[in-house]
Amino acid sequence: MRALLQRVSRASVTVEGAVVGEIGAGLLILVCAMQGDTEAEAERLAAKIAKLRIFKDAAGKMNLSVTDVGGAALVVSQFTLGADLRGNRPGFSYAAAPDLARGLYEKISERLASHGMAVQNGVFGADMDVALHNDGPVTIWMDTAEM
């Protein structure tokens, strides 16, 4: 699985003019399930995200996790993270099929919540308008194939 994490002061997702997910301080997490991914990858990714120390402590060092600071997560499905860029027009054959991807996307949210995080979601497969205020900026790329 692939994920792009952005530390945010706030973020929201709007679908067809209606806000469907919104958080204050925390993480905007764009997620892509890849071909061959299983629930084990989703669980490993969620555990790593929950423990990742990218929030500032009292000394201003990135030493706290999103759960340490009481932050929330806004999880958004993003199949384009699975892009094949060999040509000039990206292909998306590396991304998991929608039925598998939806289940793994839901598993990520479920697992993040089990780590004590408040979780909001986008709408799987929808055309979404994502708004964020990046804090830092801090942006982290994660791929379970590299963890």
Side-chain angles (χ1 to χ4, degrees):
M1 293 191 78
R2 292 181 176 169
L4 185 72
L5 284 62
Q6 294 183 294
R7 189 177 75 185
V8 299
S9 56
R10 64 184 180 274
S12 64
V13 176
T14 302
V15 176
E16 296 180 2
V19 174
V20 296
E22 185 173 32
I23 63 168
L27 295 173
L28 170 63
I29 306 169
L30 306 175
V31 176
C32 178
M34 305 295 286
Q35 284 189 23
D37 281 345
T38 66
E39 286 190 9
E41 279 88 14
E43 291 181 15
R44 198 160 40 106
L45 185 61
K48 183 75 167 183
I49 291 169
K51 295 175 186 171
L52 194 63
R53 299 183 315 173
I54 60 172
F55 289 83
K56 293 178 185 175
D57 65 13
K61 296 197 183 282
M62 286 198 294
N63 200 30
L64 301 172
S65 70
V66 66
T67 53
D68 291 336
V69 299
L74 177 56
V75 184
V76 177
S77 61
Q78 181 83 41
F79 78 93
T80 60
L81 291 176
D84 171 359
L85 298 173
R86 287 180 280 189
N88 292 327
R89 182 175 180 270
F92 301 104
S93 60
Y94 296 153
D99 289 344
L100 173 63
R102 179 187 303 268
L104 293 175
Y105 166 72
E106 291 169 354
K107 178 58 86 174
I108 287 278
S109 295
E110 173 188 307
R111 297 304 301 152
L112 288 170
S114 78
H115 285 279
M117 219 176 297
V119 178
Q120 293 281 306
N121 291 91
V123 176
F124 184 89
D127 185 10
M128 295 176 272
D129 181 13
V130 180
L132 70 137
H133 287 260
N134 201 318
D135 177 17
V138 174
T139 302
I140 305 287
W141 169 259
M142 300 178 84
D143 190 327
T144 57
E146 299 170 359
M147 292 175 19

